[in-house]
Amino acid sequence: MTDIDITLPERCQNCTVPRTACEKSLPQICGVCQTQKLLSGKWKFLLLWLLNDGTKRFSEIYKLVPGITQTVLTKQLRELEADGFISRYVYQEVPPKVEYSLTEKGESFIPILEKMADWGMKSFGT
């Protein structure tokens, strides 16, 4: 019986693409994978888009996103905050008031969302 060496290619530390693709042939793939990984989540693009209109309270966001649960909204907002896309400000009052807004990093992503919106309208006629 012959031993067959099945060695999988080493993966990039930042994404799932083989290291050779990231380093040599398609370095931009790594950036795409990192962005996708960072912004994975059903609602994150929409949340960033909504915050582009200005600071919003949790309840405002919740009302603007039909179909999302409060638990999922909280999780997605916390992830966006942890990744530096949004800021969260808690007012020390009763009842508690929390506002969310885009950070500079979040604002820098809006042109990408605008391009996605343009592509979607052209492709799907909406």
Side-chain angles (χ1 to χ4, degrees), residues 5-119:
D5 181 22
I6 302 176
T7 306
L8 296 174
E10 185 180 348
R11 299 289 177 182
C12 173
Q13 65 182 2
N14 298 316
C15 64
T16 59
V17 175
R19 181 176 296 282
T20 54
C22 282
E23 292 175 350
K24 295 178 184 169
S25 57
L26 298 169
Q28 67 274 23
I29 284 179
C30 191
V32 170
C33 289
Q34 286 179 296
T35 303
Q36 181 181 14
K37 186 175 163 184
L38 194 62
L39 291 171
S40 65
K42 182 177 180 177
W43 305 102
K44 287 183 180 178
F45 287 163
L46 180 57
L47 296 174
L48 291 171
W49 188 259
L50 292 172
L51 290 172
N52 187 43
D53 288 336
T55 300
K56 292 190 178 17
R57 293 180 65 176
F58 182 91
S59 59
E60 289 177 89
I61 299 168
Y62 182 67
K63 289 174 187 171
L64 289 169
V65 186
I68 195 168
T69 64
Q70 288 186 358
T71 303
V72 171
L73 177 57
T74 299
K75 181 180 185 288
Q76 300 262 298
L77 289 170
R78 286 188 180 159
E79 289 174 1
L80 286 168
E81 180 187 14
D83 293 330
F85 285 90
I86 64 171
S87 61
R88 177 178 184 259
Y89 185 79
V90 181
Y91 292 87
Q92 299 301 318
E93 58 185 50
V94 178
K97 178 180 169 183
V98 180
E99 290 184 337
Y100 295 90
S101 59
L102 292 178
T103 61
E104 191 174 313
K105 183 177 183 179
E107 289 173 354
S108 73
F109 194 72
I110 296 303
I112 297 166
L113 290 177
E114 289 170 342
K115 291 287 187 184
M116 289 173 62
D118 290 344
W119 183 87

